[in-house]
């Protein structure tokens, strides 16, 4: 009886403390579950834009449908467009994936939604937004989440207005920011300094949706939850690591937007470098978010700034023989792209990690548009077997972590061909998710990450020092490409990319045989 009384007393005390603390004093109490004591308000700034209608609103609906959000969550949309809530709902409708038996729940979701039109640089409009939010908090303690689905040009003004006018006074406030986080080290640092002047680091969630993908999140468990990989995860056994992101389509009429950033800023400096840090980092002290992010920062600090000699740049041109009308058009045929643009649509970069574990092992990052397939994967290629007795027939072992499409983990290995002969063939030890977990629906990356923000877990979000190291590695290269107008190598739409890229990978100890085809079960 005494133990039960003591437990009740502790819970009541905690409830009283939470209700009496202001947002900045209580954020450290948040952990890996959301706070069910308080109502939550989720505000989407830029609610009329593409990101909101294609990703944010569908994600919020799926989380609500599956009862994963706090019961008392209200949704606000805010944008410059003069829309009604019904018009916003219509814009989102094609992306919501509502089943016939979910109609009633879907109506419930939209009854919890509100929309307000306003400017991003007017103090009065944000004061009105705050008044509207307060109406739905009913004067009790409530937590606020602001998703900035906005162009970087308005980040600073909007965050100042949030800080001055829209902070939750009786609960925590968290800010979700989409990439790009600047264009180079200086602009990124300016943005980080600006945010740090307004919010604490544990209130800022820099979202990189690749960190929400199943196989990227699995890297931690794969590496540190299995004895079989640890002893070989080093320079003595690994020949090279290749991290690949390929898309089979071009800019699809959005070349003007893409031209501002290019493939390095769009994919390599963020998505691929984040994956590299998870592959290469040392074991953290615990699974606490800051312990993990500390190790990611440590490994990035061991990488020197990229030089042009270790990079191959490409830009796709049309394939006149293709039956696909889009494939006959090159990047420069897009009317929204400057006629003399040297923006790369393909890049291969070789990074080296100067530490005891990885000294001398090339990490090859490769990404591009208008290539031969859609694929994102990590390929850890092992050294050749010493003392070969098979006359060079044995090919290298590879651990392949396929992020998309079709999550899979497989190990390429040599085995004797079945039958009477003593021939060899490549095969795999295979964990393909659609086969092993047939009836399991994997959550979308945004579902995981937005839920993490509700829970206060920053494990899969980018910290300011991590971002600073990433820009340090890539900024000199980006400035050199722009200042010296470095011309990318043309490659044909639907190809593997420039041949020079394969040659550079080969020089950096990556063996491509072209003889093996992974067969999805």
């Amino acid at each position: 009886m005494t133990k039960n009384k003591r437990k009740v007393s502790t819970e009541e005390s905690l409830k009283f403390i939470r209700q009496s603390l202001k947002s900045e004093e209580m954020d450290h109490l948040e952990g890996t579950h959301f706070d069910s004591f308080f109502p939550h308000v989720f505000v989407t700034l830029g609610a009329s834009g593409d990101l909101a209608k294609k990703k944010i609103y569908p994600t919020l609906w799926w989380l609500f449908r599956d009862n994963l959000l706090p019961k008392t969550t209200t949704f606000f949309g805010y944008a410059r467009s003069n829309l009604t809530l019904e018009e916003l709902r219509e814009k989102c409708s094609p992306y919501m994936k509502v089943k016939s038996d979910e109609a009633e729940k879907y109506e419930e979701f939209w009854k919890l939604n509100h929309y307000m039109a306003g400017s991003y640089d007017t103090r009065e409009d944000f004061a009105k937004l705050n008044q509207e939010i307060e109406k739905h908090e009913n004067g009790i303690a409530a937590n606020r989440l602001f998703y900035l689905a906005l162009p970087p040009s308005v980040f600073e003004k909007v965050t100042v207005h949030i800080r001055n006018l829209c902070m939750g006074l009786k609960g925590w406030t968290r800010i979700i920011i989409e990439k790009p986080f600047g264009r180079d080290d200086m602009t990124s640092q300016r943005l980080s300094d600006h945010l740090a002047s307004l919010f604490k680091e544990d209130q800022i969630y820099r979202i990189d949706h690749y960190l929400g993908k199943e196989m990227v999140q699995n890297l931690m468990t794969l590496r540190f939850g299995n004895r079989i990989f640890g002893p070989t995860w080093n320079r003595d056994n690994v020949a090279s690591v290749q991290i690949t992101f390929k898309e089979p389509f071009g800019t699809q009429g959005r070349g003007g937007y893409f031209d501002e950033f290019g493939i390095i800023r769009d994919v390599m400096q963020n998505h691929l470098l984040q994956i590299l840090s998870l592959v290469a980092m040392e074991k953290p002290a615990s699974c606490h978010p800051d312990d993990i992010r500390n190790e990611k920062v440590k490994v990035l600090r061991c990488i020197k700034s990229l030089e042009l000699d270790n990079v191959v740049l490409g830009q796709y041109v049309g394939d006149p023989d293709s039956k696909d009308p889009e494939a006959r058009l090159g990047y420069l045929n897009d009317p929204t792209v400057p006629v003399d643009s040297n923006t790369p649509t393909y890049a291969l970069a070789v990074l080296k990690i100067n530490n005891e574990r990885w000294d001398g092992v090339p990490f090859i990052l490769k990404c591009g548009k208008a290539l031969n397939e859609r694929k994102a994967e990590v390929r850890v290629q092992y050294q050749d077997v010493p003392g070969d007795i098979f006359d060079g027939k044995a090919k290298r072992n590879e651990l392949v972590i396929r992020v998309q499409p079709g999550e899979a983990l497989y190990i390429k290995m040599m085995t004797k061909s079945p039958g009477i002969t003593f021939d060899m063939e490549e095969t795999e030890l295979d964990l393909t998710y659609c086969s092993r977990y047939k009836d399991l629906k994997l959550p979308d990356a945004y579902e995981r990450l937005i839920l993490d923000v509700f829970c206060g877990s920053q494990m899969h979000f980018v910290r300011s020092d991590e971002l600073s190291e990433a820009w340090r590695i890539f900024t000199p290269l980006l400035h050199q490409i722009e200042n010296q107008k470095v011309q990318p190598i043309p490659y044909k739409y639907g190809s593997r990319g420039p041949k020079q890229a394969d040659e550079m990978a080969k020089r950096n100890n990556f063996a491509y045989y072209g003889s093996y085809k992974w067969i999805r079960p």
Side-chain angles (χ1 to χ4, degrees):
M1 287 294 290
T2 309
K3 286 184 180 178
N4 287 341
K5 281 185 179 178
R6 192 157 54 240
K7 182 179 180 184
V8 170
S9 174
T10 303
E11 288 176 353
E12 288 176 346
S13 300
L14 181 58
K15 183 174 181 179
F16 175 79
I17 291 168
R18 289 188 172 197
Q19 288 175 335
S20 61
L21 286 176
K22 291 185 178 180
S23 60
E24 283 130 5
E25 296 170 312
M26 65 181 293
D27 241 6
H28 71 280
L29 293 175
E30 302 310 314
T32 56
H33 62 282
F34 51 69
D35 195 331
S36 56
F37 288 121
F38 302 150
H40 291 69
V41 179
F42 190 101
V43 183
T44 304
L45 297 152
S48 62
D50 268 8
L51 178 63
K53 73 181 181 183
K54 291 179 180 178
K55 287 292 182 184
I56 301 171
Y57 275 100
T59 299
L60 293 172
W61 152 238
W62 298 331
L63 291 170
F64 176 81
R65 176 198 64 194
D66 297 336
N67 300 314
L68 294 173
L69 295 179
K71 295 294 182 189
T72 50
T73 301
T74 307
F75 309 98
F76 271 87
Y78 182 96
R80 288 180 290 213
S81 303
N82 192 17
L83 297 173
T84 65
L85 181 63
E86 192 57 40
E87 288 170 331
L88 176 64
R89 175 175 173 169
E90 192 63 30
K91 284 167 71 80
C92 298
S93 180
Y95 309 99
M96 303 295 271
K97 299 178 184 175
V98 185
K99 296 177 183 175
S100 56
D101 61 346
E102 296 168 346
E104 188 176 337
K105 188 87 173 180
Y106 191 58
E107 292 302 320
E108 280 182 49
F109 171 73
W110 281 106
K111 283 177 184 175
L112 294 169
N113 271 270
H114 308 272
Y115 179 79
M116 178 179 166
S119 169
Y120 294 132
D121 54 8
T122 306
R123 180 183 174 88
E124 291 75 15
D125 286 346
F126 278 84
K128 289 177 185 175
L129 173 63
N130 186 58
Q131 291 167 9
E132 289 298 313
I133 293 172
E134 285 179 338
K135 288 179 186 177
H136 296 274
E137 294 174 342
N138 298 322
I140 60 175
N143 300 320
R144 299 183 180 186
L145 301 86
F146 291 87
Y147 199 124
L148 273 62
L150 298 167
S153 56
V154 297
F155 270 16
E156 292 193 10
K157 291 176 182 176
V158 167
T159 48
V160 167
H161 289 319
I162 291 173
R163 178 67 211 178
N164 292 339
L165 300 161
C166 296
M167 298 292 283
L169 299 178
K170 298 179 182 178
W172 50 249
T173 300
R174 293 173 183 157
I175 312 295
I176 310 171
I177 299 174
E178 274 278 350
K179 73 177 182 75
F181 310 121
R183 286 184 53 82
D184 56 19
D185 52 3
M186 286 185 63
T187 54
S188 175
Q189 191 60 51
R190 188 161 63 240
L191 176 60
S192 291
D193 291 345
H194 170 78
L195 292 171
S197 72
L198 302 174
F199 311 105
K200 294 181 179 180
E201 182 65 30
D202 60 9
Q203 294 177 296
I204 302 168
Y205 290 73
R206 298 173 188 84
I207 194 166
D208 181 338
H209 74 276
Y210 250 68
L211 292 179
K213 289 189 176 291
E214 177 69 28
M215 295 310 293
V216 175
Q217 295 203 340
N218 198 14
L219 278 166
M220 282 275 296
T221 306
L222 177 69
R223 285 197 58 196
F224 304 122
N226 294 291
R227 174 65 178 164
I228 192 171
F229 296 118
T232 64
W233 209 264
N234 53 48
R235 62 191 177 95
D236 296 325
N237 297 282
V238 175
S240 60
V241 179
Q242 184 167 273
I243 303 171
T244 302
F245 176 95
K246 298 168 78 172
E247 289 181 330
F249 48 83
T251 51
Q252 298 181 319
R254 297 180 70 247
Y257 171 79
F258 178 85
D259 204 70
E260 292 182 44
F261 303 102
I263 198 70
I264 295 174
R265 288 187 179 96
D266 194 41
V267 176
M268 187 178 284
Q269 181 271 343
N270 38 68
H271 301 333
L272 299 194
L273 197 65
Q274 283 292 323
I275 294 173
L276 179 150
S277 65
L278 289 168
V279 170
M281 72 181 192
E282 298 299 319
K283 183 188 283 189
S286 74
C287 287
H288 187 276
D290 274 336
D291 286 338
I292 294 166
R293 297 197 294 180
N294 287 344
E295 294 303 332
K296 289 169 70 180
V297 171
K298 283 181 188 176
V299 81
L300 292 178
R301 285 178 178 159
C302 295
I303 301 174
K304 291 182 180 178
S305 299
L306 254 179
E307 297 180 354
L308 194 58
D309 288 345
N310 294 317
V311 176
V312 173
L313 304 172
Q315 188 183 86
Y316 71 87
V317 296
D319 178 3
D321 300 323
S322 176
K323 294 178 182 178
D324 180 1
E326 187 184 336
R328 291 199 289 268
L329 300 175
Y331 179 67
L332 297 180
N333 296 125
D334 186 329
T336 64
V337 173
V339 292
D340 59 347
S341 172
N342 70 324
T343 300
T345 61
Y346 176 99
L348 180 143
V350 180
L351 300 175
K352 299 285 181 69
I353 300 172
N354 185 28
N355 65 14
E356 187 175 4
R357 179 182 296 274
W358 296 115
D359 186 29
V361 177
F363 280 74
I364 303 163
L365 308 187
K366 183 168 73 171
C367 53
K369 289 184 171 292
L371 296 172
N372 59 329
E373 60 184 330
R374 176 175 177 257
K375 182 169 72 173
E377 68 177 21
V378 180
R379 194 170 287 266
V380 179
Q381 190 169 94
Y382 286 85
Q383 302 275 14
D384 294 315
V385 176
D388 177 32
I389 61 172
F390 297 107
D391 300 323
K393 293 176 184 176
K395 293 168 183 173
R396 287 179 173 178
N397 297 136
E398 288 184 346
L399 170 63
V400 182
I401 303 154
R402 182 166 291 227
V403 178
Q404 66 182 29
E407 293 84 354
L409 172 70
Y410 60 99
I411 299 173
K412 284 172 58 177
M413 55 182 288
M414 302 305 300
T415 185
K416 176 189 170 295
S417 300
I420 200 166
T421 64
F422 197 69
D423 293 332
M424 301 175 72
E425 66 176 30
E426 289 174 283
T427 187
E428 71 276 329
L429 297 174
D430 187 5
L431 168 60
T432 300
Y433 274 50
C434 67
S435 176
R436 177 67 177 83
Y437 305 109
K438 286 182 181 177
D439 301 320
L440 182 68
K441 177 193 171 292
L442 292 174
D444 179 81
Y446 277 89
E447 286 184 81
R448 297 173 190 273
L449 296 176
I450 287 179
L451 191 58
D452 278 348
V453 182
F454 274 93
C455 295
S457 172
Q458 292 186 305
M459 183 186 297
H460 306 298
F461 293 84
V462 183
R463 205 167 62 185
S464 59
D465 53 351
E466 198 178 337
L467 183 62
S468 177
E469 289 301 320
W471 278 119
R472 175 191 60 77
I473 293 166
F474 282 94
T475 293
L477 172 70
L478 290 166
H479 285 179
Q480 188 176 359
I481 292 169
E482 288 158 6
N483 295 337
Q484 298 180 13
K485 300 195 181 304
V486 176
Q487 291 303 309
I489 301 164
Y491 66 94
K492 195 176 286 188
Y493 196 119
S495 68
R496 283 175 43 83
K499 291 180 180 177
Q500 291 88 334
D502 286 338
E503 292 166 3
M504 181 171 282
K506 185 177 180 180
R507 289 197 302 273
N508 283 279
N509 209 10
F510 181 80
Y512 174 70
Y513 302 104
S515 58
Y516 176 81
K517 188 74 174 175
W518 179 71
I519 301 171
R520 182 174 173 176

